[in-house]
Amino acid sequence: GENVEQHPSTLSVQEGDSAVIKCTYSDSASNYFPWYKQELGKGPQLIIDIRSNVGEKKDQRIAVTLNKTAKHFSLHITETQPEDSAVYFCAASKGINTGTASKLTFGTGTRLQVTL
Amino acid sequence: DSGVTQTPKHLITATGQRVTLRCSPRSGDLSVYWYQQSLDQGLQFLIHYYNGEERAKGNILERFSAQQFPDLHSELNLSSLELGDSALYFCASSVGGRAVETQYFGPGTRLLVL
């Protein structure tokens, strides 16, 4: 089955700096890659996602890049703010609603700390 | 607020007991997914229901079962509970068409088995 690896497990940056989190996946059939932010005591919240027909996607300070050949994708957060502090999860799925192809396989998470 | 609701928020019970977790998907969503989040296993897919029918099973124990009702809410039943079942249980919902849409997660139920 699919395996998603995520690095680093913890990341500390100063306010205003950029943060990059990287994930690799094993199943070449995966084609949907969402990123979730989880704050303490809350459920995962989708912040951005990308499909395999796109190499990069941006939404204000957040961007995701995808390299299908290398099977890795990354989250980039620019101009970090204290409220960006949370645990971030990458995930992968085959992107179709058939059998287990719809399930999300998650990375192990990155705890991001933005310091003043 | 994702629009997905889960009850109860917290649950404390003893080993050997049975509990039921409830999830209401976002209005209009036909798919419901259940995930378990624990410190050692991370976020793991348990089961997926689409419009009342089971679509896929993940690493769900035989002691666990789920169903989705005609009004589309779902329940996850956990029986013969063990200490290791202590975890956060999330449900997520999506529109549920042919292609996979965004899964929106609820706030979770924190289960503690003593």
Side-chain angles (χ1 to χ4, degrees):
Chain A
E2 173 69 280
N3 182 51
V4 177
E5 293 191 358
Q6 183 173 346
H7 300 280
S9 56
T10 61
L11 180 58
S12 183
V13 299
Q14 286 200 318
E15 184 179 7
D17 287 351
S18 294
V20 180
I21 302 170
K22 299 183 179 182
C23 289
T24 59
Y25 61 99
S26 61
D27 191 339
S28 57
S30 290
N31 62 6
Y32 174 63
F33 308 93
W35 285 87
Y36 286 86
K37 174 184 181 182
Q38 187 175 21
E39 295 174 319
L40 197 61
K42 296 187 178 181
Q45 176 193 3
L46 181 81
I47 55 171
I48 196 166
D49 57 11
I50 192 167
R51 297 179 192 271
S52 61
N53 57 347
V54 175
E56 182 175 358
K57 185 176 178 181
K58 281 185 182 178
D59 183 3
Q60 299 182 335
R61 298 185 297 109
I62 294 173
V64 57
T65 58
L66 171 64
N67 183 327
K68 281 222 80 180
T69 303
K71 290 192 277 190
H72 67 70
F73 56 113
S74 301
L75 177 71
H76 304 253
I77 306 174
T78 59
E79 300 170 22
T80 54
Q81 301 165 3
E83 51 265 38
D84 294 329
S85 296
V87 179
Y88 291 80
F89 291 94
C90 62
S93 99
K94 292 185 176 64
I96 54 175
N97 235 352
T98 303
T100 57
S102 60
K103 74 169 189 176
L104 291 174
T105 299
F106 284 88
T108 49
T110 297
R111 184 174 299 278
L112 174 64
Q113 181 72 42
V114 180
T115 57
L116 297 172
Chain B
D1 183 359
S2 66
V4 178
T5 61
Q6 289 187 249
T7 57
K9 190 161 184 160
H10 302 279
L11 202 47
I12 302 175
T13 188
T15 54
Q17 296 296 305
R18 172 189 168 95
V19 296
T20 297
L21 313 183
R22 183 189 168 102
C23 167
S24 292
R26 296 186 321 152
S27 177
D29 283 1
L30 300 179
S31 272
V32 170
Y33 306 80
W34 286 96
Y35 291 86
Q36 180 193 57
Q37 185 175 37
S38 61
L39 283 174
D40 55 343
Q41 296 287 328
L43 266 161
Q44 299 274 322
F45 167 74
L46 293 178
I47 198 162
H48 169 205
Y49 275 83
Y50 171 73
N51 203 19
E53 293 184 2
E54 181 185 303
R55 271 292 175 93
K57 269 186 174 179
N59 299 323
I60 188 166
L61 299 170
E62 283 193 14
R63 301 183 284 108
F64 296 1
S65 64
Q67 57 184 133
Q68 187 179 26
F69 294 87
D71 68 351
L72 301 176
H73 91 270
S74 178
E75 293 181 355
L76 179 67
N77 300 295
L78 316 177
S79 61
S80 303
L81 285 167
E82 302 176 358
L83 296 178
D85 298 327
S86 296
L88 271 165
Y89 291 85
F90 290 104
C91 89
S93 75
S94 71
V95 173
R98 186 172 178 276
V100 171
E101 302 87 6
T102 300
Q103 292 185 27
Y104 295 91
F105 281 72
T109 293
R110 185 177 294 276
L111 173 67
L112 180 59
V113 182
L114 299 175

